[in-house]
Amino acid sequence: MLVFLHVTGQTTDQWLAELDKNIEQSGRYDATWQAEIDALKKNPLKNTPAEQFTTCLGLYEAYKIFNYDSAFDYAKQLQVAAARLNDPSKEVYARIKLGFTLISSGMFKETLDSLNSINIQGMPDSVKAEYYSLMGRYYYDLGDFDNDTYHTPLYIAKGNKYIDSALQLYPPASFSYSYYTGLKDIKSGNNDKALLEFQKTMSRQDLTHHQLAVAASTLSDIYIKTGQTDTAMILLIRSAIADIQSSTKENAAIFNLAQLLYKKGDVKRASSYIEKAIADAGFYGARQRKVQVSSILPLIEGEKISRVEGQKTILITYSTIATVLLLLVVVLAAIILRQVKKLQLAKQIITTAHHKEQEINYRLTEANKIKEEYIGYFFNTNSEFFAKIEKFKEALDQKVAYRKLDEVMALAKTINLKKEKEELLKNFDKVFLKLFPNFVDEFNAFFHEEDRIKLKGDELLNTDLRIFALIRMGIHDTEKIAQILEYSVNTINTYKTKIKNKSIIPNEEFEHRIMAIKTV
């Protein structure tokens, strides 16, 4: 008799921890089950057909939820032994066992061909009941597989008829009667009746591990449909634990649990459980389950990749980050210092030349705007870089701690300094154009129509504009501009000369006119 865990008093996380423990021990459960099978195999097949039938049936029952190939082989041997007995009921019984194996593997055509060849007239009630319930399961599974609005209702209706026939033959106190009654209610949309029936089934004290797994997994469907995800998850966990403890490889609970966890955003556990489902389906040889798993696996793996990509915001090493930050500090400090000096000069001009008061006030306001915008930009950039450093360190520490050296190398190879530099320049463009929104138009006014700069769709500024944008910000040192834009001094001088030569403004006045462009 099975003593199973109760829901009361345990959270979903506690149940998940219990499931993880059982997954770790699944190899031990499988080894124990295999040892029992090996013990059965040590008993040689006797010469009499009756003894052969009994031995093959025992091995079939051991394999039917454990391994399809072996279950199929012993189901075929069972048919041979039944034919030698010349007992029609045993021949039908053996063919039903073969049909169970075929439907468990998802071989719908082969299942129907096998079951349609059975004549159950005159068979014992127990054989008829098993046949009808298997036919009912066939049509239910076929409906679930098609999952459409036309064929599925027809298959469910056929399945219900077979289950009705089976229920007339099962003893009312049996697990099969209670289970198939509840299953029919679910398929018919009578969830309230099904819930009461399955709660009664789950309260039985004589359930085997496999019966508990089947009942809990089926009951979870009701809670999924009604949006009670936590209860559904606990039932699926109980079912998965029972499957593991009974070495049931033809299962659905852990796959359905992975789907719920994926929808709730627990991608790590969902991926782990899908891998377990894949391993079980592969071990058993369940074709239908492999198809189901293949439908959700790309989504889960895609989400994992997406999250990994999201964590790859740290794209440079500590030394490179430090260098870039230092460069930003130097550049921004130089800008601020230069603006402070301009403010001091402006104050002196105000006290000595009242007629220039308006111009000086404007420069003071402009300088304050520039200072405020770029101080904010400076601290925001620093904050982002420090956050990147922290995330990169955490990711790197974790991989080093687990000795995932290949992943460490892979993480380092994702560094893209060019992209970081482009992002830095793009941020500079945004802040600059916020201060000087008319800069591009006023700059182009210095040229004939054919020589004006035409930006591409995704460009805010290009190299020509950035050079003079930096000059407008007060950075006149060509070497400093070259450092910021990562060009040589000669290249910057060439750009400046080429632009000035195209302008309708005299070369010696060009930069003065640039400085005259106003902020808003």
Side-chain angles (χ1 to χ4, degrees):
M1 182 179 69
L2 173 66
V3 179
F4 54 85
L5 301 172
H6 294 277
V7 173
T8 305
Q10 291 201 90
T11 65
T12 304
D13 287 339
Q14 289 173 319
W15 277 105
L16 287 169
E18 185 71 22
L19 174 58
D20 291 339
K21 290 180 183 177
N22 277 270
I23 290 175
E24 290 178 2
Q25 298 174 4
S26 60
R28 179 169 60 84
Y29 291 122
D30 292 347
T32 300
W33 190 254
Q34 187 64 56
E36 293 179 8
I37 292 175
D38 292 340
L40 287 174
K41 288 182 176 180
K42 287 181 180 179
N43 296 324
L45 292 175
K46 305 297 183 181
N47 291 326
T48 68
E51 291 172 331
Q52 291 178 358
F53 187 90
T54 300
T55 302
C56 288
L57 180 60
L59 287 166
Y60 163 81
E61 291 294 337
Y63 275 119
K64 72 177 184 179
I65 55 176
F66 188 62
N67 181 267
Y68 163 76
D69 289 335
S70 297
F72 180 83
D73 182 56
Y74 283 108
K76 298 295 287 184
Q77 291 187 47
L78 193 65
Q79 287 183 292
V80 173
R84 290 184 63 189
L85 284 170
N86 197 25
D87 184 337
S89 65
K90 283 187 169 55
E91 290 183 39
V92 169
Y93 185 69
R95 190 171 291 277
I96 291 172
K97 297 301 183 184
L98 180 64
F100 178 90
T101 301
L102 292 171
I103 191 62
S104 295
S105 184
M107 301 173 69
F108 292 110
K109 179 183 181 303
E110 292 79 2
T111 300
L112 189 60
D113 290 344
S114 178
L115 295 180
N116 279 341
S117 68
I118 297 175
N119 182 2
I120 62 170
Q121 297 300 321
M123 295 296 108
D125 286 352
S126 61
V127 174
K128 289 182 178 180
E130 190 167 344
Y131 171 79
Y132 288 137
S133 60
L134 184 57
M135 286 295 294
R137 177 190 168 183
Y138 167 79
Y139 282 110
Y140 286 162
D141 285 1
L142 190 58
D144 290 340
F145 182 80
D146 283 2
N147 193 26
D148 67 353
T149 57
Y150 179 78
H151 295 94
T152 296
L154 298 177
Y155 291 139
I156 290 176
K158 287 185 178 181
N160 286 344
K161 290 181 180 179
Y162 280 109
I163 295 300
D164 283 338
S165 298
L167 292 176
Q168 293 178 16
L169 300 172
Y170 279 125
S174 67
F175 169 81
S176 295
Y177 183 89
S178 180
Y179 174 77
Y180 284 114
T181 298
L183 180 60
K184 181 192 170 188
D185 286 335
I186 289 178
K187 295 298 183 180
S188 302
N190 301 321
N191 289 334
D192 291 339
K193 289 178 61 179
L195 182 61
L196 292 174
E197 191 65 44
F198 273 106
Q199 287 176 339
K200 182 174 68 175
T201 303
M202 294 284 289
S203 67
R204 295 172 64 107
Q205 297 299 308
D206 61 344
L207 293 180
T208 65
H209 281 88
H210 184 58
Q211 287 171 340
L212 171 61
V214 171
S217 179
T218 308
L219 177 57
S220 71
D221 290 342
I222 299 176
Y223 290 101
I224 292 173
K225 291 177 182 177
T226 56
Q228 301 179 66
T229 307
D230 288 342
T231 303
M233 286 178 60
I234 290 176
L235 287 166
L236 288 171
I237 294 169
R238 292 178 65 184
S239 177
I241 291 173
D243 281 334
I244 292 170
Q245 292 178 352
S246 60
S247 291
T248 299
K249 302 302 181 182
E250 199 291 295
N251 55 57
I254 198 163
F255 166 70
N256 292 331
L257 176 62
Q259 287 184 301
L260 291 183
L261 288 168
Y262 170 70
K263 291 177 182 178
K264 292 190 72 173
D266 190 347
V267 178
K268 182 178 180 181
R269 265 205 169 98
S271 177
S272 174
Y273 294 162
I274 278 291
E275 289 177 2
K276 172 63 175 169
I278 292 172
D280 285 349
F283 186 91
Y284 180 79
R287 294 162 177 80
Q288 181 182 1
R289 199 74 65 213
K290 289 179 181 178
V291 172
Q292 289 177 316
V293 171
S294 67
S295 67
I296 186 68
L297 182 60
L299 298 178
I300 294 177
E301 292 304 314
E303 182 66 18
K304 285 177 65 179
I305 292 172
S306 177
R307 293 195 174 200
V308 169
E309 289 298 324
Q311 294 171 356
K312 290 182 179 178
T313 55
I314 311 304
L315 300 175
I316 53 178
T317 63
Y318 292 134
S319 59
T320 306
I321 292 174
T323 302
V324 173
L325 286 173
L326 181 60
L327 178 62
L328 286 173
V329 170
V330 171
V331 171
L332 293 175
I335 293 172
I336 293 171
L337 181 59
R338 189 176 294 273
Q339 296 307 317
V340 169
K341 290 180 178 180
K342 286 184 178 182
L343 286 174
Q344 293 173 345
L345 179 60
K347 289 179 181 180
Q348 294 174 4
I349 295 173
I350 289 173
T351 58
T352 59
H354 181 70
H355 65 279
K356 293 184 178 180
E357 182 177 355
Q358 289 183 341
E359 178 64 19
I360 293 173
N361 283 338
Y362 166 74
R363 290 185 178 276
L364 181 60
T365 302
E366 178 186 76
N368 278 329
K369 283 185 180 181
I370 294 172
K371 181 177 69 173
E372 289 170 2
E373 288 292 334
Y374 276 87
I375 286 176
Y377 168 59
F378 165 72
F379 282 109
N380 181 59
T381 303
N382 277 359
S383 176
E384 290 179 358
F385 270 101
F386 282 120
K388 288 182 179 181
I389 292 171
E390 183 61 27
K391 289 181 181 178
F392 184 84
K393 182 178 181 297
E394 290 175 1
L396 191 60
D397 287 346
Q398 184 180 22
K399 296 183 185 302
V400 172
Y402 287 98
R403 299 182 181 275
K404 296 181 178 181
L405 299 182
D406 291 341
E407 293 187 20
V408 171
M409 294 299 295
L411 184 62
K413 290 180 180 178
T414 61
I415 294 171
N416 190 339
L417 294 178
K418 181 179 179 182
K419 183 177 178 181
E420 286 292 319
K421 183 62 179 181
E422 290 174 353
E423 187 65 24
L424 177 64
L425 292 176
K426 186 179 291 184
N427 288 335
F428 168 80
D429 295 347
K430 290 178 182 178
V431 176
F432 179 82
L433 290 177
K434 183 177 179 182
L435 289 166
F436 301 91
N438 301 320
F439 181 83
V440 177
D441 291 338
E442 293 189 37
F443 183 90
N444 273 333
F446 300 162
F447 301 89
H448 293 295
E449 179 65 29
E450 64 271 19
D451 294 324
R452 291 176 182 174
I453 293 175
K454 295 178 177 59
L455 295 171
K456 296 178 181 178
D458 58 345
E459 287 185 330
L460 297 176
L461 298 176
N462 62 12
T463 303
D464 293 348
L465 291 169
R466 285 195 191 105
I467 292 172
F468 290 95
L470 288 169
I471 291 174
R472 181 61 189 87
M473 293 301 301
I475 304 175
H476 298 279
D477 188 340
T478 302
E479 184 175 354
K480 188 65 65 180
I481 294 173
Q483 289 177 354
I484 294 171
L485 299 181
E486 293 187 349
Y487 288 108
S488 69
V489 172
N490 288 337
T491 300
I492 297 298
N493 285 330
T494 300
Y495 268 102
K496 290 170 66 176
T497 301
K498 182 179 178 181
I499 292 168
K500 289 179 180 180
N501 288 339
K502 287 183 179 181
S503 173
I504 59 177
I505 306 298
N507 288 6
E508 62 273 15
E509 294 183 17
F510 189 89
E511 292 190 17
H512 293 292
R513 295 290 293 273
I514 290 292
M515 296 302 296
I517 297 175
K518 299 183 180 298
T519 62
V520 293

